[in-house]
Structure formats: C-alpha cells, structure tokens
Amino acid sequence: MTDSFLLIKLVHVLSATLLFGTGLGTAFFMWRCYRSNDLAAIAVVTRDVVLADTMFTMPAIIIQPVSGYLMIEYMGYSLYTPWIIWSFGLYLFIGACWLPVVWLQVKMRDMAAVAVENNEVLPETFGVYFRIWTRLGYPAFICMLIIFALMVFRPL
Ligand code: HEM
C-alpha cells in the first residue's frame, strides 16, 4: 500500500469521525437544551448547531464518498461488491434523513431567535419540529453504525 492510498484513508477516517462526532454531539446538545426549557440556551444552541453542521458536516458529507470512491479505484474493488453497494445505499438513506433535519434546524433556530427577541415562549411548532428532528436522527445513527461495521469487516 502506498503513502497516497494511506493518506486518502486517513482523510476518509478523519471525515468519518467528523461526521459521526458532529452528529452525535449536536444531537446531545440539542436534546439537553430542549429539556432545560431555558429559552436563551435553546436560542444559542440551535444557532450553533446550524453553524456546526455547515462547518463540519457539510464538507465531511462530500469528502466521505469521494475518498471512499478513490480507495475503491485504487484497490481495484468492483463497484458491485455487496458491502460497497450497501455502504452507498445506506449513505444515501442517511443523506435523505439529514436534508430535512437541516431544514428543521434552521426553522427551530429562527423560532428561538424570534421568541428571545420578543420575550415570548416558543411556539408549539418548535416541539413538533424537535420530535421529527429526533426521529430522523435515530435511523441515520443506526445506519452510520452499520456503515462503520461494513467498512471494518467488509463481509461480502
Ligand atoms: C459513502 C460511501 C463510502 C465508501 C464508498 C467507502 C469506501 C471505503 C473503502 C474503499 C475503504 C478502504 C477499504 C480498504 O482498506 O480496503 C474504507 C475504509 C473505511 N471507511 Fe469507508 N466508505 C464510505 C463511507 C464511510 C462512512 C459513512 C464511514 C463512517 C462514518 C466510513 C468509515 C470507514 C472507516 C472507519 C474505514 C477504515 C476501515 C479499516 O481500515 O479497517 N466509510 N471505506
């Protein structure tokens, strides 16, 4: 294995860490601040979760399949290898969960900012959006774990 392959693999693993870590971290803080019922905290956290997704998740989302593809080419794997098909499929599914999550986050951030500015309570929609946001996170999290396992075991 040459240095360039290992360098791509390093980027791939670092990007996986960023993707998984940011997802879990932002979910934890969103959940904790929502449970706190502290409007000021909710406004700050929702704002920074949107920022973290833009700074960390977005680039990692692109780097992950690109670096994966480069390694596939390098290793001469067939694109029809089952673990690779599953990885791409699950990755697309995660992306399909993540896109509405981004939209919901932006809406929640805006609702919290308006509530703080006008000294109001959060609208009921915030709670509805938060529940959908959480429910989209569970399958995405599980699929991410499955992809990690596929990458390490490469079973088929
Ligand atoms: C998007 C599609 C993806 C493709 C096509 C892909 C492809 C690959 C390939 C070809 C390797 C190197 C296998 C080898 O050394 O022979 C690899 C390794 C790895 N991938 Fe992915 N990957 C993808 C997504 C992900 C995701 C989403 C994660 C985790 C969040 C991930 C985590 C890892 C890890 C940790 C390794 C190192 C495994 C090891 O060396 O034992 N990959 N990936």
Side-chain angles (χ1 to χ4, degrees):
M1 253 170 246
T2 65
D3 284 353
S4 46
F5 173 82
L6 292 176
L7 206 62
I8 297 170
K9 191 160 174 167
L10 178 65
V11 170
H12 189 75
V13 172
L14 286 176
S15 153
T17 310
L18 210 58
L19 207 56
F20 190 72
T22 307
L24 198 60
T26 52
F28 176 78
F29 286 112
M30 277 288 266
W31 187 70
R32 293 295 294 164
C33 82
Y34 184 66
R35 297 282 303 218
S36 76
N37 269 329
D38 180 335
L39 181 57
I42 293 172
V44 171
V45 172
T46 47
R47 187 194 66 203
D48 286 348
V49 162
V50 172
L51 184 65
D53 257 1
T54 313
M55 285 174 67
F56 307 123
T57 313
M58 254 178 210
I61 273 188
I62 298 160
I63 291 169
Q64 207 59 26
V66 172
S67 54
Y69 180 75
L70 290 175
M71 286 191 289
I72 288 170
E73 286 284 299
Y74 192 94
M75 296 296 282
Y77 290 133
S78 159
L79 274 176
Y80 300 104
T81 310
W83 71 269
I84 291 174
I85 295 176
W86 274 102
S87 305
F88 272 121
L90 290 171
Y91 196 71
L92 284 178
F93 176 74
I94 293 170
C97 293
W98 183 71
L99 286 176
V101 156
V102 171
W103 185 84
L104 291 163
Q105 277 171 191
V106 169
K107 293 287 168 200
M108 286 190 283
R109 176 198 65 187
D110 295 347
M111 279 184 235
V114 168
V116 166
E117 198 167 313
N118 300 336
N119 225 352
E120 294 165 347
V121 291
L122 284 171
E124 261 180 44
T125 331
F126 190 98
V128 175
Y129 282 8
F130 183 79
R131 276 186 287 281
I132 302 172
W133 186 89
T134 312
R135 278 173 201 160
L136 285 166
Y138 289 126
F141 178 75
I142 291 165
C143 288
M144 198 72 104
L145 292 180
I146 297 172
I147 296 185
F148 265 119
L150 284 171
M151 296 290 134
V152 173
F153 291 102
R154 286 169 242 152
L156 308 163

